[in-house]
Amino acid sequence: MTAHLKRWWPLALLLVLIAAPYSALPLPGLLDGPLGSPGSLQLIALCLLYGGLATGYDLLLGRTGLLSFGHALYFATGLYATDLAMLELDLDLLPAALFGTACSVALALALGAVSLRVTGIGFSMVTLAFAQAGAILVQRNPGGYTGGEEGRSAPAPHLPDALVGIQNTANLYWIALAYLVLTLAVVHWTTASPTGRVWAGIRENERRVEVLGLRPYGFKLLAFTVSGALAGAGGVVYLLLTGGATPQAASSDATLALLVMVVLGGSGTRWGPLLGGVLYTWAAHRLGDLANSAAVADLPAALRVPLSQPLFLLGTLFVAVVYLLPGGLAKLPARLRTGRTPTAAAPAAALPEGAA
Amino acid sequence: MSTVVLLACTGLGLGALYFLVASGLSLIFGLMDVLNFAHGALLSVGAYAAWWAATDGGTGFWLAVVFGTVVGTAASVLLELALIRPLYVRPRDQILATVGVGLALPALLMGVWGSDARPFPQPAALSGTVGLLGATVPVNRFVLMAAALAVLVALRLFLARTRYGLIVRAGVEDRAMVTALGIDVRRAFTLVFAIGGAAASLGGALAGLYFGSVNPSQGTGLLIFAFVVVVMGGMGSVTGAAVASVGVGLVQQFANYYTAAGLGDLSVVVLLAVLLLVKPRGLTGRLA
Amino acid sequence: MSLLTVRDLRVVIDGLHILHGVELDVAATGVTALLGRNGAGKTTTVRAVMGLVPRTGTVTFDGADITGLPTHQVVRRGIGYAPEDRGVFAQLSVAENLRLAERDPDPAYDLVFELFPELKQRHRQAAGTLSGGQQQMVAIARTLLNGNRLVIADEPTKGLAPKIVTEVADVLARAAESVPVLLVEQNLALVRRIAGRCAVLADGRTAHQGDARALLADEDAARRLLGVGSHQPETTAPEGSSR
């Protein structure tokens, strides 16, 4: 029976999520309004979107072992390219979304091909540099296209009526849910494929993959491109959810947020990144509300100041997870079950790199 | 002509600031393979500590700079001892931990002093300008250059003349072999963090002078350019960092002035990518 | 009574089992040779003893368990280590390389410069510009600078010209008069000349321990354990041949 439960709970959860907009269940503490209210749906939709984005990012970090500091670039590309396609090319939403995602794929393919020529921390820094270049470009508003600090709003006339207005939040919510399901499916399917097994091999030990006669480069580029495509599609969903493109989406903080989500939830696990993305997004919003609430304003400064800064709390939480909970929240049940298994006593100053 | 002189002096001042951040970053990475994403936050800590001392504390400017440097150094040492040291066997987690600190520290500063820039008190002696080859150049540019030069000389002396300097230079080449000679290399780790924190927070205190104000995200904004400098100058090379700082500062200033705004920043960032691709060994030689 | 005892030493690196149960006894006097074909696990064994790779099992030095100690503390117990790739700091001068190794208040520079007069002449030269033989001299000199109770030398003659091999062998033989040496070596003629006992590794396990000359005299055993003749035609022998 429990085996059945284990097997079917994702489907049950999905059904619950699909039905959520029809529910008026109040969840005090978790959400401000009842479950089906536009405000709640908007927040849950964002949580699901970031759950999906984090899952897609983990294709690089947890599945292939690539630490990219530039993932926000592909997210922002999907976001801005879709928006601009509607604004400047006069396309409708669907072709614009396809165009935006295609732009992300192309950019990920091109920059990935270049970035992956270096390995280790060099790769991280090249991706950071490219993403930073993108962030600067967006900020500087070249030709008036990106709108600089203000960003650009999505043009309502190009959007289907069903996606405009607060009364249609449920539709946006379902789109976010569909995006999450799509991402999970893609990640699950690719990692279970023969290619996914090569990715796992690269993560464990790239040299051994080479010994088997395979070229890791192509496999890594595939992971980078698939992950970039998922990020671009996430950008489209983000555009719909928030009604515009703003430069924060391209900032290095956006990538770091994804990194925090993945590590928080559990890198390389099936549900961890999703869990981390949902928790992080929910916490960032709720903590933001908390920061502005009267209850916090009355606290003594020593408590008020840290509590009023969501990024401080999340940064601290992140460090705590890295430090105390390697493997993230997803590994927590297993750790609790086995009791406090001592982490393998490593030779203190032994620095095993280059060991042969 | 006067524009060129002014741009050159401003570029050199900016380069001096980059050097103060990058020299420590370079030593830390060279010795420990830790890319310290919290380094910009250390600069901000120094900047705010100096600002606090100069305003609320009512100390003079120079005492405030000393105070800022001391606080930043202490924060850096604490970071190494409390977070980096326990994670030596998990190199990637070390980087992640610095990412977390790099997010949390500026947020904390923002929580305490707000997100708006705070005007940094300018001592009368340093707020004027000097005439140089027909240009009027703010004095603070020269203060930064002098500070960077002093740090460069001090670091070179430390590396060349002291036993710990010797350990650091050897550790940059082959850390494991240093331990195989019976040396507890972890002490050198703490030391380079102290040095890096000191230089960065000194840079932070002087950045207040240079920019005229302090804000929580200043340090993080400078970090990316410090990365460029570190990669360009070669990991673990203080002199290389100095040369690269000057180059990056000048290129950025001149390109920003003579071409479209922002192109200087952009070109420097793209330069980072190009450098890493052209000479990946400079960075990843030992990481592979 | 052995000075260094290794029991059931196991090493796993990146999921690969490199050693699965090495046993090793290093005699309290003279040279103990650690032999085996390429890839048998000789270098990993000494790196594990030094604490340079994660390991399990027991390593006892002079009666004390040193298995859990970090590398620098292993060394401070009195073990000098000259690694396979010599571990010379190329950017540092010869003098700096030696100074870095100083642990005793009164380092034995007299002995070192008597054995390697060349190092004194090349004091200020960057170690990276030295020849391979000279770099090996620096590596060995670093182990002799301090009053060590054991010296571990990992293939000190690898890649050296025959004349230099003889020179290095002479130094090792002389050093072994005062301090026990664990010598990883492929050059069997050299082993026959200076080693007393030996241990042979095969596929990450100890295949044989005993008297070195007795093993090398037994052609069948030598061929079986070391693949002499078929696997090491490139071995440079200082005198005579190892066949």
Side-chain angles (χ1 to χ4, degrees):
Chain A
M1 278 230 323
T2 44
H4 265 280
L5 207 66
K6 267 191 184 150
R7 203 187 149 108
W8 291 107
W9 72 262
L11 192 63
L13 185 66
L14 178 62
L15 289 174
V16 169
L17 283 171
I18 290 173
Y22 300 108
S23 162
L25 185 72
L27 291 169
L30 287 178
L31 296 167
D32 268 339
L35 191 55
S37 67
S40 299
L41 285 180
Q42 171 83 14
L43 176 55
I44 302 174
L46 264 184
C47 289
L48 298 178
L49 167 62
Y50 275 102
L53 283 170
T55 304
Y57 178 61
D58 197 44
L59 200 59
L60 291 179
L61 183 69
R63 305 294 186 170
T64 321
L66 293 169
L67 178 55
S68 161
F69 279 121
H71 206 62
L73 180 61
Y74 310 103
F75 172 67
T77 300
L79 173 62
Y80 272 94
T82 306
D83 199 12
L84 292 180
M86 290 192 288
L87 285 165
E88 306 289 339
L89 303 178
D90 230 12
L91 293 182
D92 282 332
L93 174 64
L94 201 61
L98 287 175
F99 172 76
T101 311
C103 283
S104 285
V105 173
L107 196 66
L109 192 63
L111 295 186
V114 176
S115 311
L116 285 166
R117 292 177 38 154
V118 285
T119 53
I121 201 72
F123 167 78
S124 305
M125 290 184 78
V126 174
T127 53
L128 176 68
F130 281 134
Q132 197 65 24
I136 293 174
L137 261 183
V138 168
Q139 284 271 353
R140 305 293 168 170
N141 194 10
Y145 285 123
T146 64
E149 296 282 348
E150 312 287 306
R152 300 285 296 269
S153 297
H158 286 86
L159 298 175
D161 289 339
L163 299 180
V164 181
I166 197 162
Q167 69 282 3
N168 287 320
T169 309
N171 295 335
L172 297 175
Y173 166 88
W174 281 316
I175 290 180
L177 183 60
Y179 168 71
L180 171 64
V181 172
L182 171 80
T183 309
L184 284 169
V186 168
V187 170
H188 180 64
W189 178 67
T190 51
T191 51
S193 71
T195 303
R197 283 195 287 280
V198 178
W199 287 343
I202 291 172
R203 182 190 59 201
E204 294 305 323
N205 187 341
E206 194 167 330
R207 244 173 293 165
R208 236 191 304 167
V209 172
E210 280 170 3
V211 170
L212 293 175
L214 297 166
R215 258 187 91 211
Y217 178 85
F219 289 93
K220 291 197 282 187
L221 184 57
L222 185 63
F224 197 85
T225 311
V226 171
S227 187
L230 290 173
V236 176
V237 179
Y238 186 81
L239 177 69
L240 296 173
L241 270 179
T242 61
T246 52
Q248 285 78 21
S251 70
S252 56
D253 278 0
T255 301
L256 294 186
L258 286 178
L259 182 62
V260 174
M261 292 172 196
V262 167
V263 173
L264 182 70
S267 180
T269 61
R270 186 187 293 178
W271 305 109
L274 164 61
L275 181 69
V278 169
L279 268 182
Y280 180 100
T281 311
W282 176 82
H285 276 77
R286 296 301 294 178
L287 291 174
D289 294 348
L290 181 75
N292 298 324
S293 69
V296 165
D298 294 338
L299 288 171
L303 285 175
R304 188 189 72 235
V305 166
L307 283 182
S308 67
Q309 289 300 325
L311 259 185
F312 172 76
L313 293 175
L314 290 169
T316 313
L317 178 67
F318 178 62
V319 173
V321 168
V322 167
Y323 188 60
L324 301 171
L325 202 68
L329 292 173
K331 291 270 166 68
L332 189 58
R335 284 170 75 93
L336 290 177
R337 225 176 295 133
T338 53
R340 294 206 53 79
T341 28
T343 41
L351 305 152
E353 94 276 8
Chain B
M1 180 62 193
S2 66
T3 315
V4 172
V5 173
L6 180 63
L7 282 175
C9 288
T10 307
L12 286 174
L14 195 61
L17 200 53
Y18 291 158
F19 173 73
L20 290 175
V21 182
S23 51
L25 209 55
S26 181
L27 279 182
I28 290 171
F29 189 88
L31 182 65
M32 306 167 61
D33 292 341
V34 174
L35 192 61
N36 185 14
F37 272 84
H39 216 73
L42 293 174
L43 178 136
S44 296
V45 168
Y48 269 83
W51 168 81
W52 179 83
T55 52
D56 293 7
T59 65
F61 173 77
W62 294 111
L63 208 57
V65 169
V66 171
F67 179 75
T69 309
V70 169
V71 171
T73 309
S76 187
V77 169
L78 192 69
L79 172 68
E80 200 278 330
L81 290 179
L83 285 177
I84 308 296
R85 176 165 289 202
L87 298 175
Y88 278 139
V89 282
R90 289 149 54 190
R92 177 171 281 186
D93 286 353
Q94 286 182 320
I95 297 173
L96 295 182
T98 68
V99 168
V101 173
L103 288 176
L105 266 185
L108 187 64
L109 293 174
M110 201 183 287
V112 179
W113 286 293
S115 57
D116 295 336
R118 298 291 190 113
F120 196 87
Q122 310 270 332
L126 304 179
S127 56
T129 54
V130 237
L132 183 73
L133 300 171
T136 27
V137 183
V139 175
N140 59 38
R141 311 287 192 263
F142 298 106
V143 176
L144 266 166
M145 287 182 229
L149 206 59
V151 168
L152 173 62
V153 170
L155 274 178
R156 286 201 55 124
L157 283 176
F158 160 75
L159 288 172
R161 300 285 167 83
T162 65
R163 175 155 179 90
Y164 269 105
L166 184 60
I167 292 172
V168 170
R169 279 188 292 146
V172 167
E173 274 193 52
D174 185 347
R175 199 173 45 191
M177 192 58 218
V178 173
T179 68
L181 292 177
I183 295 162
D184 185 358
V185 78
R186 288 174 301 179
R187 287 212 204 130
F189 290 175
T190 312
L191 189 67
V192 292
F193 255 86
I195 292 171
S201 50
L202 173 65
L206 296 178
L209 197 66
Y210 181 89
F211 294 115
S213 62
V214 293
N215 72 66
S217 55
Q218 223 162 34
T220 317
L222 287 172
L223 190 61
I224 178 92
F225 299 113
F227 282 156
V228 182
V229 167
V230 168
V231 173
M232 213 171 168
M235 286 293 175
S237 165
V238 170
T239 312
V243 175
S245 302
V246 170
V248 170
L250 287 177
V251 165
Q252 213 178 344
Q253 281 301 318
F254 278 94
N256 274 347
Y257 184 84
Y258 284 110
T259 64
L263 208 65
D265 300 0
L266 199 66
S267 59
V268 167
V269 170
V270 173
L271 186 67
L272 170 61
V274 171
L275 274 174
L276 284 165
L277 294 165
V278 172
K279 51 160 218 176
R281 289 268 135 206
L283 182 63
T284 56
R286 281 191 299 134
L287 282 178
Chain C
M1 177 63 201
S2 52
L3 177 66
L4 181 81
T5 317
V6 173
R7 289 288 171 268
D8 195 30
L9 186 68
R10 289 163 191 273
V11 171
V12 181
I13 296 170
D14 285 336
L16 288 179
H17 293 257
I18 316 268
L19 301 184
H20 359 228
V22 167
E23 315 274 319
L24 175 65
D25 297 276
V26 177
T29 55
V31 175
T32 303
L34 184 58
L35 309 173
R37 303 178 196 210
N38 283 332
K42 304 183 297 291
T43 293
T44 305
T45 299
V46 296
R47 286 177 63 86
V49 167
M50 297 306 296
L52 287 165
V53 290
R55 73 285 198 208
T56 59
T58 327
V59 181
T60 319
F61 180 59
D62 202 11
D65 185 357
I66 60 165
T67 317
L69 291 184
T71 303
H72 67 272
Q73 284 180 18
V74 171
V75 173
R76 285 180 195 175
R77 297 256 167 162
I79 300 181
Y81 170 56
E84 186 187 22
D85 54 3
R86 303 178 191 121
V88 166
F89 301 102
Q91 309 282 322
L92 272 50
S93 71
V94 171
E96 286 175 328
N97 265 282
L98 296 177
R99 203 187 315 146
L100 205 57
E102 291 175 13
R103 295 203 316 275
D104 294 355
D106 188 18
Y109 277 106
D110 294 347
L111 171 70
V112 164
F113 290 142
E114 187 204 324
L115 291 173
F116 306 114
E118 241 177 303
L119 294 187
K120 191 165 192 176
Q121 294 156 20
R122 299 183 181 272
H123 219 59
R124 304 178 69 90
Q125 192 175 332
T129 63
L130 297 175
S131 71
Q134 290 159 344
Q135 289 191 9
Q136 190 60 56
M137 290 174 194
V138 173
I140 295 174
R142 289 192 304 204
T143 69
L144 301 179
L145 216 44
N146 304 292
N148 283 321
R149 291 188 290 162
L150 173 66
V151 166
I152 300 181
D154 192 350
E155 297 211 35
T157 62
K158 189 175 170 185
L160 300 185
K163 182 174 162 290
I164 314 289
V165 171
T166 315
E167 211 171 303
V168 168
D170 287 344
V171 168
L172 286 173
R174 202 176 141 191
E177 289 167 14
S178 52
V179 56
V181 175
L182 173 61
L183 175 68
V184 179
E185 193 49 81
Q186 300 265 28
N187 184 331
L188 297 179
L190 192 154
V191 169
R192 188 179 291 129
R193 196 184 128 202
I194 67 174
R197 292 183 55 80
C198 76
V200 183
L201 300 188
D203 299 327
R205 282 190 189 81
T206 302
H208 173 84
Q209 285 211 75
D211 185 79
R213 285 186 192 90
L215 171 69
L216 295 178
D218 180 346
E219 270 192 41
D220 283 347
R223 184 168 295 117
R224 180 167 46 84
L225 291 165
L226 303 168
V228 181
S230 58
H231 275 264
Q232 294 172 313
E234 81 284 3
T235 309
T236 44
E239 51 200 29
S241 111
S242 57
R243 238 161 288 124

mmCIF file of all heavy atoms in Angstrom, chain C residues 98-113:
data_model
loop_
_atom_site.group_PDB
_atom_site.id
_atom_site.type_symbol
_atom_site.label_atom_id
_atom_site.label_comp_id
_atom_site.label_asym_id
_atom_site.label_seq_id
_atom_site.Cartn_x
_atom_site.Cartn_y
_atom_site.Cartn_z
ATOM 1 N N LEU C 98 64.933 24.689 -0.331
ATOM 2 C CA LEU C 98 65.515 24.052 0.858
ATOM 3 C C LEU C 98 65.004 24.726 2.127
ATOM 4 O O LEU C 98 64.685 24.059 3.108
ATOM 5 C CB LEU C 98 67.048 24.113 0.794
ATOM 6 C CG LEU C 98 67.682 23.337 -0.376
ATOM 7 C CD1 LEU C 98 69.192 23.518 -0.377
ATOM 8 C CD2 LEU C 98 67.333 21.850 -0.286
ATOM 9 N N ARG C 99 64.945 26.067 2.101
ATOM 10 C CA ARG C 99 64.524 26.788 3.308
ATOM 11 C C ARG C 99 63.106 26.394 3.712
ATOM 12 O O ARG C 99 62.773 26.301 4.884
ATOM 13 C CB ARG C 99 64.598 28.300 3.062
ATOM 14 C CG ARG C 99 64.719 29.093 4.377
ATOM 15 C CD ARG C 99 64.616 30.583 4.145
ATOM 16 N NE ARG C 99 65.424 31.031 3.015
ATOM 17 C CZ ARG C 99 65.076 32.028 2.209
ATOM 18 N NH1 ARG C 99 63.932 32.673 2.410
ATOM 19 N NH2 ARG C 99 65.841 32.397 1.219
ATOM 20 N N LEU C 100 62.277 26.156 2.693
ATOM 21 C CA LEU C 100 60.898 25.782 2.965
ATOM 22 C C LEU C 100 60.827 24.461 3.738
ATOM 23 O O LEU C 100 59.914 24.239 4.529
ATOM 24 C CB LEU C 100 60.165 25.638 1.625
ATOM 25 C CG LEU C 100 58.669 25.819 1.586
ATOM 26 C CD1 LEU C 100 58.260 27.170 2.134
ATOM 27 C CD2 LEU C 100 58.178 25.663 0.160
ATOM 28 N N ALA C 101 61.807 23.586 3.495
ATOM 29 C CA ALA C 101 61.778 22.257 4.115
ATOM 30 C C ALA C 101 62.331 22.268 5.533
ATOM 31 O O ALA C 101 62.219 21.278 6.250
ATOM 32 C CB ALA C 101 62.564 21.272 3.253
ATOM 33 N N GLU C 102 62.962 23.366 5.943
ATOM 34 C CA GLU C 102 63.590 23.407 7.275
ATOM 35 C C GLU C 102 62.549 23.170 8.359
ATOM 36 O O GLU C 102 61.530 23.851 8.416
ATOM 37 C CB GLU C 102 64.238 24.784 7.509
ATOM 38 C CG GLU C 102 65.450 25.044 6.660
ATOM 39 C CD GLU C 102 65.966 26.473 6.867
ATOM 40 O OE1 GLU C 102 65.530 27.125 7.831
ATOM 41 O OE2 GLU C 102 66.786 26.912 6.048
ATOM 42 N N ARG C 103 62.803 22.194 9.209
ATOM 43 C CA ARG C 103 61.951 21.985 10.383
ATOM 44 C C ARG C 103 62.794 22.036 11.662
ATOM 45 O O ARG C 103 62.364 22.534 12.680
ATOM 46 C CB ARG C 103 61.248 20.617 10.317
ATOM 47 C CG ARG C 103 60.271 20.470 9.185
ATOM 48 C CD ARG C 103 59.236 19.391 9.484
ATOM 49 N NE ARG C 103 59.807 18.181 10.052
ATOM 50 C CZ ARG C 103 60.315 17.189 9.330
ATOM 51 N NH1 ARG C 103 60.340 17.258 8.022
ATOM 52 N NH2 ARG C 103 60.803 16.116 9.929
ATOM 53 N N ASP C 104 63.990 21.511 11.575
ATOM 54 C CA ASP C 104 64.868 21.495 12.746
ATOM 55 C C ASP C 104 65.447 22.886 12.973
ATOM 56 O O ASP C 104 65.629 23.655 12.024
ATOM 57 C CB ASP C 104 66.020 20.500 12.526
ATOM 58 C CG ASP C 104 65.503 19.078 12.443
ATOM 59 O OD1 ASP C 104 64.287 18.901 12.649
ATOM 60 O OD2 ASP C 104 66.294 18.177 12.146
ATOM 61 N N PRO C 105 65.749 23.201 14.227
ATOM 62 C CA PRO C 105 66.384 24.495 14.488
ATOM 63 C C PRO C 105 67.750 24.610 13.811
ATOM 64 O O PRO C 105 68.181 25.706 13.450
ATOM 65 C CB PRO C 105 66.512 24.528 16.014
ATOM 66 C CG PRO C 105 66.163 23.173 16.507
ATOM 67 C CD PRO C 105 65.425 22.459 15.446
ATOM 68 N N ASP C 106 68.402 23.456 13.623
ATOM 69 C CA ASP C 106 69.748 23.493 13.032
ATOM 70 C C ASP C 106 69.798 22.545 11.836
ATOM 71 O O ASP C 106 70.290 21.428 11.935
ATOM 72 C CB ASP C 106 70.778 23.080 14.101
ATOM 73 C CG ASP C 106 72.186 23.285 13.596
ATOM 74 O OD1 ASP C 106 72.362 24.039 12.614
ATOM 75 O OD2 ASP C 106 73.102 22.671 14.166
ATOM 76 N N PRO C 107 69.270 22.981 10.675
ATOM 77 C CA PRO C 107 69.186 22.090 9.518
ATOM 78 C C PRO C 107 70.565 21.638 9.031
ATOM 79 O O PRO C 107 71.540 22.405 9.124
ATOM 80 C CB PRO C 107 68.509 22.950 8.448
ATOM 81 C CG PRO C 107 68.045 24.187 9.127
ATOM 82 C CD PRO C 107 68.827 24.349 10.363
ATOM 83 N N ALA C 108 70.628 20.419 8.524
ATOM 84 C CA ALA C 108 71.917 19.799 8.174
ATOM 85 C C ALA C 108 72.397 20.236 6.796
ATOM 86 O O ALA C 108 72.564 19.403 5.894
ATOM 87 C CB ALA C 108 71.776 18.281 8.254
ATOM 88 N N TYR C 109 72.639 21.536 6.638
ATOM 89 C CA TYR C 109 73.125 22.030 5.338
ATOM 90 C C TYR C 109 74.502 21.479 4.997
ATOM 91 O O TYR C 109 74.822 21.270 3.835
ATOM 92 C CB TYR C 109 73.140 23.559 5.324
ATOM 93 C CG TYR C 109 71.791 24.155 4.992
ATOM 94 C CD1 TYR C 109 71.015 24.747 5.982
ATOM 95 C CD2 TYR C 109 71.293 24.124 3.695
ATOM 96 C CE1 TYR C 109 69.775 25.278 5.688
ATOM 97 C CE2 TYR C 109 70.059 24.650 3.385
ATOM 98 C CZ TYR C 109 69.289 25.227 4.379
ATOM 99 O OH TYR C 109 68.075 25.748 4.090
ATOM 100 N N ASP C 110 75.332 21.257 6.034
ATOM 101 C CA ASP C 110 76.672 20.720 5.775
ATOM 102 C C ASP C 110 76.585 19.397 5.033
ATOM 103 O O ASP C 110 77.240 19.194 4.013
ATOM 104 C CB ASP C 110 77.416 20.513 7.103
ATOM 105 C CG ASP C 110 77.679 21.842 7.782
ATOM 106 O OD1 ASP C 110 77.502 22.876 7.092
ATOM 107 O OD2 ASP C 110 78.025 21.845 8.975
ATOM 108 N N LEU C 111 75.749 18.490 5.571
ATOM 109 C CA LEU C 111 75.573 17.176 4.960
ATOM 110 C C LEU C 111 75.043 17.314 3.532
ATOM 111 O O LEU C 111 75.579 16.706 2.599
ATOM 112 C CB LEU C 111 74.601 16.353 5.812
ATOM 113 C CG LEU C 111 74.143 15.031 5.193
ATOM 114 C CD1 LEU C 111 75.290 14.029 5.168
ATOM 115 C CD2 LEU C 111 72.945 14.465 5.937
ATOM 116 N N VAL C 112 74.025 18.149 3.377
ATOM 117 C CA VAL C 112 73.393 18.293 2.068
ATOM 118 C C VAL C 112 74.388 18.806 1.032
ATOM 119 O O VAL C 112 74.487 18.285 -0.075
ATOM 120 C CB VAL C 112 72.168 19.238 2.179
ATOM 121 C CG1 VAL C 112 71.730 19.706 0.802
ATOM 122 C CG2 VAL C 112 71.021 18.532 2.882
ATOM 123 N N PHE C 113 75.160 19.815 1.395
ATOM 124 C CA PHE C 113 76.091 20.387 0.419
ATOM 125 C C PHE C 113 77.307 19.498 0.201
ATOM 126 O O PHE C 113 77.955 19.565 -0.836
ATOM 127 C CB PHE C 113 76.502 21.799 0.842
ATOM 128 C CG PHE C 113 75.363 22.781 0.717
ATOM 129 C CD1 PHE C 113 75.180 23.780 1.652
ATOM 130 C CD2 PHE C 113 74.488 22.695 -0.347
ATOM 131 C CE1 PHE C 113 74.131 24.676 1.526
ATOM 132 C CE2 PHE C 113 73.429 23.589 -0.479
ATOM 133 C CZ PHE C 113 73.252 24.576 0.467
#
